[in-house]
Amino acid sequence: MKKLNNLTSYEYSDEWFTDQQTVELVVSLLQPKGTICCPFDSSESLFTKVAESIGKCIYGMTDWLGSNYEYDYLMTNPPFSIKDAVIEKVAKSGKPSALILPLDSLGGVNRHRIFNEYGYPAIYIPTRRISYFNDQWVKKQGANFHSVILLFHTNREGIIWESKN
């Protein structure tokens, strides 16, 4: 096993890079400016590259869950193995944020507690499954889950259905 942000994860990797089209979609939904936090992203991430073209980008924090960084917006595809901790920290933060997570991230007793306590995010539901790439930029074949984009602390509300096929 390996350690990730003080949490143990198994030998498999749950780090996958997000495709350009989805990153651009997140930016259009969030409309970030100022300092953008991409806590789980490396310099190779498209989130980081796009954020750097918009404003100041801080990224690659191995201690993000336990620290308090200054930023104006957050956008990331966080490791699924720590999604509950990420959702709770983002919900508590009050900062406009976008998280790409599996559709089933909306359910569960702990997540419902978080949403009840800190507010429900707007939920963007894409028509198609999002494409992910490994660290060699090889596309993962056949995404086995449907992803959604959770938007916290924005002017958006409810469910946002993608309008194109």
Side-chain angles (χ1 to χ4, degrees), residues 2 8 10 31 42 44 88 96-97 109-110 146 165:
K2 64 180 182 174
T8 303
Y10 294 99
Q31 300 180 342
S42 69
E44 297 302 310
E88 185 157 20
S97 302
V109 173
N110 190 42
H146 200 102
N165 297 322

Side-chain angles (χ1 to χ4, degrees), residues 77-127:
N77 171 4
F80 298 164
S81 61
I82 58 171
K83 66 182 167 288
D84 284 350
V86 172
I87 289 169
E88 185 157 20
K89 183 162 183 177
V90 165
K92 284 181 181 180
S93 77
K95 305 276 184 166
S97 302
L99 302 175
I100 299 175
L101 289 166
L103 178 63
D104 71 351
S105 298
L106 298 173
V109 173
N110 190 42
R111 280 167 246 141
H112 280 234
R113 177 196 56 79
I114 293 166
F115 299 147
N116 279 322
E117 189 170 343
Y118 300 105
Y120 287 85
I123 304 158
Y124 181 90
I125 303 175
T127 301

Side-chain angles (χ1 to χ4, degrees), residues 70-84:
E70 291 295 321
Y71 58 89
D72 301 305
Y73 291 81
L74 181 140
M75 58 183 190
T76 192
N77 171 4
F80 298 164
S81 61
I82 58 171
K83 66 182 167 288
D84 284 350

Side-chain angles (χ1 to χ4, degrees), residues 25-53:
L25 171 62
V26 168
V27 169
S28 73
L29 292 168
L30 192 58
Q31 300 180 342
K33 53 189 177 278
T35 301
I36 303 164
C37 182
C38 301
F40 307 104
D41 298 274
S42 69
S43 61
E44 297 302 310
S45 164
L46 294 176
F47 275 118
T48 302
K49 291 176 180 181
V50 169
E52 287 177 331
S53 73

Side-chain angles (χ1 to χ4, degrees), residues 50-62:
V50 169
E52 287 177 331
S53 73
I54 295 169
K56 180 181 177 186
C57 178
I58 57 174
Y59 61 90
M61 297 88 139
T62 58

